[in-house]
Each structure stands twice: as structure tokens, then as C-alpha cells.
Amino acid sequence: MSNKSNVKKILEKQGYRFVGNHSSIKICRWTKKSLIDEGECYKSRFYGINTWRCCQISPWIGCNNKCRHCWRPIEINFNKLINKNKIDSPEFIINNSIKSQQKLLTGFKGNKKINSGKFREAQEPMQFAISLTGEPTLYPKLGEFIAELRKKGKTSFVVTNGLQPGVLSNLNKEGNLPTQLYLSVNASNKKSYDKWHRSKEKNAWKKFNDTLELFPKLKGKTRTVIRMTLVKDINMKPEMVEEYVKLIKKARPDFIEVKGFMSVGFARKRLGYEMMPRHNLVRDYAEKIAIALNKKNEKYKILDEHEASAVILLGKDKKIMKIKRSEV
């Protein structure tokens, strides 16, 4: 059995399903909880997304970073699993991701707690969280992918590490930006960035900052979010607040998600449970960032929070939190 087969078998046991040559899906634990009415994802609370109708996918399983906190299996070089001469079409990935999700959901039929209405609706996901593993901007047809989702009336959330500013710029020019665009900001300066992300990209810090500077140009064309994943005693030190503020001021995002690190999946081998900050510590740090931003005339405040996910939402206007159909 080849290494490729071994890797796939290991991940399939963990709930992953591979789609075509370079994509994968996995049902999020919040989708599972939602189907039995035991909770909703923070994206539902903040932005109005129906958790039970969310499809968590990656159109490109390879990544150009090896972030320490990542719950994905970064120890596996997914780039070696991809045949770059065989690029799957957006329609193929979308249709087969939905089919794979439907198969994975079949097991819920026997659960006595199942909400039958949600289960029926879940067969046709309407939200695509393009954030499962890998880096989506490495998929050469990302713009077409987002356009196809929009044509089908589905929302799309893309999470990027910001190392392909040219791709994001092209999405903007083509009118193919997602419903909501996330940029991961987990380090406050170049030294900690290099140590944290262990990037394969040359000039990674510069490219990341280029993406920060691109964000204000996307205003009104997509909803922009900076996501900070905080690990206790590593990247949430008091002296880092001002450095984070400088980065945030460059991007001027609609929202900032300040989230506590979760020691789950493959991350448990790198950072243990003791590195997970409690919700109150995350909230305190979010407040410090909001105060520092206000001193710089950036009027961010706490709009909402989701304690089960240890996440705080900062923004300027609570009225724009929920996604409107016109933004799909």
C-alpha cells in the first residue's frame, strides 16, 4: 500500500473524505451538534449562517505554511498527494462535496435526537466554509469556484493565510470575492511570524503585509474579517497588543474575531491543553485590542461572543453582522 493510500485511510478514519485530486470535506462538530439541537456554531450567532446547512471543505489540500497551532495534519506533505497536471473543475468539487456530505450524514438517521427538519435541509448545504485544510488561494480556479457557489445561491467563507495577495487582487478585479474573506493573523511581528508559521514561501512576512494593505480596497465588495487564534503565553502577551493594532490598522476589517486556541486534532501533539486560554482571558485580550484601536481612532468594540468557542467578535457596527441575501 502506497504512502498516499496510508495517509488517506488514516484521515478517512478521522472523518475526512477526499474529493477528486486535491479537495476534501469533513463534517464540522458544530454541524453535528446542530442536527441534534445541542448548539450552533458561532458563525450562526454572529452572521446568521445556518449551522446544519454548512459544508466544510478545502478545494486544495496542500498548504505553504506549517502553523504550530493548526489542528490539521501539517506533518503530512499534502502537496505530494496532488497531481498538479489534473485540476478538478469547481462544479465537480461542489457537486461531489455535497454527495460526500450526504453520505456522511446518513448515519444520523438512526439518532433519536435528530431534528428531522434540519436533517432534510442539511442534504442541500447553503454555506461553504472554505477552510478545512490547506490554503484555498493555491487552487487555480478559486474565482470560478466562488462564482459557481454564488450562481447556486450559496454563501462562501474563505480563510486565507494571506500569502497570495495577487490571487486576492485578481478575485477583486474579476468580481469573484467570497461572501466573507478571513485573514489569519496569529503573530504580531516578523520574528514571531517566522517562528509561528514556518512558511515555505519566500518573503512570507512581506506578502502577508501586502494582503493586509489590500484589505481596505475590498470594502463593500466582500465582508472582511481578521481572525486571531491566541495561544496562552505565546502570542497573547500584553506587549504584543500595540503590534497587533498596527497590523489591524493596515487592514481596517469589518470584523475581528479574537479566538482562543483549541488543543484538538493534530494540534494536541504540538500544543497541549494547558496552552488553551479560557474565555475570560480571550475576552480580556480582545478588550485590550479594542481600547488600543480606539486610541488610534479606530472605533472597534465588542459586538458579541460565543463562550463555547472562546471567541469574541470586535467590530464597529452591530447592524451589519447578519448577512443579507444581496451579499451572497
Side-chain angles (χ1 to χ4, degrees):
M1 186 159 50
S2 68
N3 288 332
K4 183 174 180 179
S5 296
N6 277 322
V7 167
K8 286 193 171 184
K9 282 190 175 295
I10 291 168
L11 293 175
E12 282 171 351
K13 283 183 180 179
Q14 297 175 356
Y16 287 81
R17 290 296 180 270
F18 289 87
V19 176
N21 178 44
H22 46 71
S23 305
S24 62
I25 80 145
K26 187 177 191 283
I27 297 179
C28 171
R29 73 182 182 96
W30 284 109
T31 299
K32 296 175 183 178
K33 280 179 171 288
S34 177
L35 286 168
I36 55 175
D37 293 327
E38 288 189 356
E40 301 291 339
C41 172
Y42 73 87
K43 297 185 190 77
S44 174
R45 181 182 175 97
F46 294 171
Y47 312 120
I49 291 300
N50 290 333
T51 309
W52 65 95
R53 301 194 77 176
C54 183
C55 186
Q56 181 184 227
I57 79 156
S58 173
W60 195 264
I61 56 177
C63 192
N64 43 9
N65 277 351
K66 295 182 73 174
C67 306
R68 292 176 64 193
H69 72 291
C70 189
W71 59 270
R72 291 85 169 177
I74 62 170
E75 290 76 12
I76 298 168
N77 187 351
F78 280 110
N79 293 305
K80 289 185 177 180
L81 302 182
I82 298 171
N83 178 358
K84 294 184 174 64
N85 295 316
K86 186 183 176 184
I87 305 299
D88 296 323
S89 72
E91 192 165 7
F92 172 88
I93 297 171
I94 293 167
N95 291 342
N96 284 282
S97 293
I98 292 173
K99 287 178 183 176
S100 293
Q101 177 130 326
Q102 288 169 343
K103 286 181 181 178
L104 287 169
L105 287 171
T106 303
F108 281 82
K109 281 184 180 178
N111 192 321
K112 293 180 181 179
K113 294 181 180 180
I114 196 76
N115 181 316
S116 57
K118 283 183 177 180
F119 181 79
R120 283 193 301 273
E121 290 186 349
Q123 304 308 306
E124 182 59 45
M126 295 305 292
Q127 153 68 4
F128 274 64
I130 306 171
S131 59
L132 173 60
T133 189
E135 170 54 38
T137 59
L138 295 176
Y139 174 45
K141 298 182 179 182
L142 182 60
E144 297 170 46
F145 188 86
I146 292 166
E148 185 66 23
L149 288 173
R150 184 173 290 116
K151 191 170 86 174
K152 294 177 183 294
K154 302 178 190 298
T155 49
S156 56
F157 283 19
V158 170
V159 180
T160 180
N161 58 26
L163 296 185
Q164 305 293 320
V167 171
L168 298 178
S169 182
N170 285 337
L171 292 180
N172 182 31
K173 290 173 186 174
E174 296 164 1
N176 286 333
L177 287 164
T179 310
Q180 192 151 293
L181 179 64
Y182 283 80
L183 175 61
S184 296
V185 178
N186 307 309
S188 61
N189 57 58
K190 185 180 186 304
K191 184 179 179 181
S192 60
Y193 181 93
D194 290 341
K195 186 177 180 180
W196 186 266
H197 294 288
R198 299 177 292 181
S199 184
K200 300 170 190 173
E201 289 273 345
K202 291 182 180 179
N203 302 314
W205 177 247
K206 181 185 181 303
K207 291 175 181 176
F208 169 73
N209 275 271
D210 286 346
T211 296
L212 286 170
E213 290 172 3
L214 173 66
F215 256 43
K217 298 174 185 176
L218 309 182
K219 284 278 186 182
K221 300 174 184 178
T222 183
R223 296 157 56 92
T224 54
V225 185
I226 276 181
R227 176 187 285 169
M228 302 170 60
T229 302
L230 302 179
V231 181
K232 197 161 67 172
D233 301 327
I234 295 183
N235 69 338
M236 59 183 302
K237 297 175 182 177
E239 62 268 25
M240 292 177 170
V241 169
E242 289 297 331
E243 292 177 329
Y244 281 125
V245 165
K246 286 180 182 178
L247 299 179
I248 293 166
K249 270 183 64 64
K250 286 184 183 181
R252 298 179 58 241
D254 295 311
F255 304 105
I256 305 162
E257 290 179 6
V258 186
K259 193 174 188 305
F261 160 73
M262 297 288 179
S263 185
V264 296
F266 288 80
R268 285 176 294 185
K269 297 178 181 178
R270 294 176 237 113
L271 298 165
Y273 293 112
E274 71 279 3
M275 306 305 288
M276 291 170 52
R278 292 184 180 275
H279 181 75
N280 65 307
L281 293 179
V282 178
R283 196 180 205 282
D284 288 347
Y285 206 78
E287 285 179 340
K288 287 183 175 69
I289 289 170
I291 290 167
L293 281 165
N294 272 267
K295 287 179 181 177
K296 302 290 184 181
N297 206 32
E298 295 288 344
K299 307 298 182 183
Y300 289 90
K301 59 187 176 182
I302 292 178
L303 299 181
D304 209 341
E305 57 191 301
H306 190 273
E307 189 167 352
S309 298
V311 60
I312 310 294
L313 182 69
L314 300 179
K316 297 181 179 181
D317 187 356
K318 202 164 189 175
K319 293 177 183 177
I320 67 168
M321 283 171 57
K322 305 299 182 185
I323 291 171
K324 302 178 182 70
R325 290 307 303 167
S326 60
E327 294 177 299
V328 174

